[in-house]
């Protein structure tokens, strides 16, 4: 009854719902069935939620299947992309600190975006949230999915440098 009320309210106000499935919080029965988080467990969990929304004839939703394991997330998103037409919200959850999380997110999300999978994204870093936005934006620029802003190119060891390239790049990219 409570679910129906939420869905009815979302429908009345034309509010999309984001269904989020996370490898770290799968349903108990799926944990028993699969023994550990797997791409199939993520997809099965997501499809349960899709079926609930379908039963209420509600289709204004996007789906998120996050895992901290890059390979698990990529396989799960690839699989769900073949099963539904709804938008997908990409993310590598608990990716890590600024450097390691940027690398993991760039690899996982970059692969999916290059394959045309994904409609929105969230970079999840154990860092200042502004860094998450910067990393996401730079990812989109690198993939030519966004073109606003300056594309900085620099070689720190170029023999023709007459200034501190690394210091200058750090200041420019702030």
């Amino acid at each position: 009854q409570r679910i129906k009320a939420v869905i009815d309210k979302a429908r009345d106000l034309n509010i999309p719902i984001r269904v989020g499935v996370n490898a770290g919080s799968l349903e108990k029965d799926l944990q028993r069935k699969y023994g550990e988080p797997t791409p199939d467990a993520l997809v099965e969990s997501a499809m349960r939620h899709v079926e609930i929304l379908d039963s209420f004839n509600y289709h204004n939703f996007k789906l998120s299947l996050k895992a901290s394991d890059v390979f698990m997330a990529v396989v799960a998103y690839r699989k769900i992309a073949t099963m539904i037409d709804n938008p997908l919200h990409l993310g590598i959850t608990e990716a890590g600190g600024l450097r390691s999380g940027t690398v993991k997110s760039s690899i996982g999300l970059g692969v999916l975006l290059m394959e045309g999978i994904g409609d929105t994204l969230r970079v999840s870093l154990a860092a200042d949230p502004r860094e998450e936005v910067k990393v996401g934006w730079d990812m989109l620029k690198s993939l030519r999915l966004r073109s606003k802003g300056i594309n900085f190119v620099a070689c720190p060891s170029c023999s023709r440098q007459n200034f501190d390239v690394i210091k200058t790049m750090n200041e420019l990219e702030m």
Side-chain angles (χ1 to χ4, degrees), residues 106 109 113 121-123 130-151:
S106 296
L109 303 182
L113 291 167
L121 61 88
R122 160 87 194 285
V123 176
R130 291 174 288 202
E131 295 298 329
E132 296 178 345
V133 174
K134 290 177 188 177
V135 168
W137 187 257
D138 285 344
M139 222 185 292
L140 295 173
K141 280 182 17 184
S142 295
L143 294 169
R144 297 185 184 152
L145 297 171
R146 293 289 180 268
S147 59
K148 290 182 180 178
I150 298 169
N151 182 25

Side-chain angles (χ1 to χ4, degrees), residues 2 4 15 18 20 44 48 58 61 63 75 84-85 93 100 102-103 108 114 120 131 144 147 152-153 157 172:
R2 183 171 175 247
K4 181 182 181 330
I15 296 173
R18 181 176 68 88
E44 187 171 336
R48 287 179 180 180
Y58 189 82
F61 65 90
L63 208 52
V75 171
I84 66 167
D85 292 326
T93 194
S100 61
T102 295
V103 171
M114 289 286 292
T120 58
E131 295 298 329
R144 297 185 184 152
S147 59
F152 292 105
V153 178
S157 61
L172 290 171

Side-chain angles (χ1 to χ4, degrees), residues 61 80-88 119:
F61 65 90
I80 201 77
T82 67
M83 300 171 70
I84 66 167
D85 292 326
N86 293 77
L88 296 175
D119 301 279

Side-chain angles (χ1 to χ4, degrees), residues 17-133:
I17 294 173
R18 181 176 68 88
V19 175
V21 174
N22 189 311
S25 58
L26 287 168
E27 295 93 325
K28 298 280 187 229
D29 66 311
L30 292 178
Q31 290 177 28
R32 283 190 300 278
K33 178 179 178 180
Y34 291 95
E36 61 184 21
T38 66
D40 287 336
L42 287 169
V43 170
E44 187 171 336
S45 177
M47 289 308 295
R48 287 179 180 180
H49 298 288
V50 169
E51 289 168 9
I52 291 168
L53 294 169
D54 281 347
S55 74
F56 292 106
N57 199 30
Y58 189 82
H59 307 287
N60 188 11
F61 65 90
K62 69 174 53 179
L63 208 52
S64 175
L65 294 85
K66 294 183 182 180
S68 59
D69 179 279
V70 172
F71 297 100
M72 185 184 313
V74 168
V75 171
Y77 277 114
R78 282 176 174 159
K79 186 169 184 174
I80 201 77
T82 67
M83 300 171 70
I84 66 167
D85 292 326
N86 293 77
L88 296 175
H89 176 70
L90 303 181
I92 305 296
T93 194
E94 303 162 341
L98 182 58
R99 190 183 76 228
S100 61
T102 295
V103 171
K104 282 176 73 173
S105 294
S106 296
I107 292 169
L109 303 182
V111 164
L112 293 166
L113 291 167
M114 289 286 292
E115 293 176 7
I117 297 171
D119 301 279
T120 58
L121 61 88
R122 160 87 194 285
V123 176
S124 177
L125 304 174
D128 185 321
R130 291 174 288 202
E131 295 298 329
E132 296 178 345
V133 174

